[in-house]
């Protein structure tokens, strides 16, 4: 009986060499981690001479930093686009739900990005720690400001600490995405994802019946 041959994913030759290296490295870092990925692995996956890694990124760690920076910048741009001033209570909740939806999409629709970010959240030491910390602290601070805005609008309870709420929301999102592996990718089902998002929004805002 013949063994089925695995089809190797071919590099996208329409990308410049730097982009091909980033795309190939991202998939490898997601599956094997930084220490488990070699320069040779990346060069073979991208079908590019390994010397180009030093030329563009000054080595494997530089390439890893570039991957994290690309992910972080995309996340930051998304937060800047969504977490803007809301005109009323309904818009506040809609924008919060949009933020949740975009974060879930970042982790679930692009599995490589999701796995890399999960690894970074768990790592004690990382060559990309400063890039990761600075970028996601900016998003955290945007959430803090957004919750302060919600307090002024009466959507967030006045006695809640916005910084703690922002931290809890991040923890809630990452825990939910870890649990999703046990629940067999339930968040990929639109109706299930919407239900989870609605529950989170209601947990962090004041229900209408509790308002005076």
């Amino acid at each position: 009986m013949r063994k089925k041959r695995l089809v190797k994913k071919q590099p996208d030759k329409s990308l410049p060499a730097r982009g091909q290296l980033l795309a190939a490295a991202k998939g490898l870092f997601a599956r094997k981690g930084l220490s488990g990925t070699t320069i040779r692995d990346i060069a073979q996956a991208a079908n590019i001479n390994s010397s180009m890694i030093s030329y563009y990124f000054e080595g494997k760690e530089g390439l890893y930093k570039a991957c994290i920076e690309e992910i972080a910048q995309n996340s930051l741009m998304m937060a800047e686009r969504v977490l803007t001033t809301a005109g009323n209570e309904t818009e506040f909740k809609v924008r919060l739900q949009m933020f949740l939806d975009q974060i879930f999409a970042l982790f679930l629709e692009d599995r490589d990005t999701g796995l890399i970010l999960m690894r970074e959240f768990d790592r004690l030491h990382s060559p990309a720690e400063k890039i990761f910390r600075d970028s996601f602290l900016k998003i955290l601070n945007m959430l803090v400001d957004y919750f302060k805005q919600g307090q002024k609008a009466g959507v967030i309870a006045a006695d809640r600490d916005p910084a703690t709420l922002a931290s809890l929301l991040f923890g809630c999102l990452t825990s939910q995405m870890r649990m999703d592996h046990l629940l067999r990718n339930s968040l990929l089902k639109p109706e299930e994802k919407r239900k989870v998002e609605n529950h989170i929004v209601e947990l962090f805002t004041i229900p209408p019946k509790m308002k005076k």
Side-chain angles (χ1 to χ4, degrees):
M1 186 176 177
R2 283 186 176 182
K3 289 185 178 180
K4 188 182 287 187
R5 291 184 64 188
L6 293 175
V7 179
K8 185 179 177 182
K9 187 177 178 182
Q10 296 300 313
D12 184 352
K13 293 183 179 179
S14 66
L15 292 173
R18 187 180 189 280
Q20 288 186 51
L21 287 168
L22 276 169
K26 190 175 169 186
L28 288 166
F29 290 144
R31 295 188 299 275
K32 300 171 71 173
L34 175 60
S35 60
T37 300
T38 66
I39 287 176
R40 184 179 179 183
D41 290 336
I42 299 165
Q44 286 183 339
N47 196 24
I48 290 175
N49 191 293
S50 60
S51 64
M52 292 293 99
I53 296 173
S54 295
Y55 177 76
Y56 285 113
F57 306 102
E58 298 183 354
K60 184 177 73 169
E61 288 194 357
L63 177 51
Y64 184 75
K65 288 179 184 178
C67 286
I68 294 295
E69 187 165 21
E70 183 178 76
I71 293 168
Q73 286 304 311
N74 288 339
S75 305
L76 193 58
M77 285 190 293
M78 176 276 293
E80 288 173 341
R81 186 172 63 251
V82 173
L83 297 176
T84 58
T85 302
N88 52 51
E89 177 182 336
T90 300
E91 185 182 351
F92 181 90
K93 290 185 175 183
V94 167
R95 288 191 172 280
L96 183 57
Q97 186 162 359
M98 286 170 61
F99 175 78
L100 301 176
D101 194 64
Q102 292 293 308
I103 291 290
F104 282 145
L106 180 70
F107 277 75
L108 299 168
E109 293 176 15
D110 181 353
R111 287 287 178 175
D112 290 345
T113 291
L115 288 170
I116 289 173
L117 287 179
M118 285 297 182
R119 287 179 186 275
E120 277 300 303
F121 272 116
D122 292 339
R123 284 172 72 95
L124 293 176
H125 304 288
S126 166
E129 182 178 357
K130 187 176 187 310
I131 298 168
F132 182 79
R133 182 183 296 275
D134 289 353
S135 299
F136 282 90
L137 275 178
K138 286 179 182 176
I139 297 175
L140 190 70
N141 288 331
M142 285 183 204
L143 270 175
V144 172
D145 291 340
Y146 194 69
F147 283 134
K148 286 178 180 178
Q149 181 191 142
Q151 284 180 320
K152 291 178 182 178
V155 190
I156 302 292
D159 61 348
R160 302 288 171 85
D161 175 41
T164 302
L165 287 177
S167 179
L168 286 171
L169 182 61
F170 256 109
C172 183
L173 286 168
T174 53
S175 294
Q176 184 63 43
M177 285 180 285
R178 289 180 189 280
M179 285 298 296
D180 195 57
H181 290 293
L182 297 177
L183 300 174
R184 298 183 180 181
N185 300 326
S186 61
L187 287 174
L188 292 176
K189 301 173 184 175
E191 67 280 1
E192 185 65 25
K193 182 157 67 74
R194 181 53 59 93
K195 183 176 75 174
V196 170
E197 290 168 359
N198 286 339
H199 276 48
I200 294 174
V201 169
E202 293 307 318
L203 280 171
F204 282 85
T205 55
I206 302 173
K209 64 182 179 182
M210 291 183 64
K211 295 181 181 179
K212 293 182 179 180

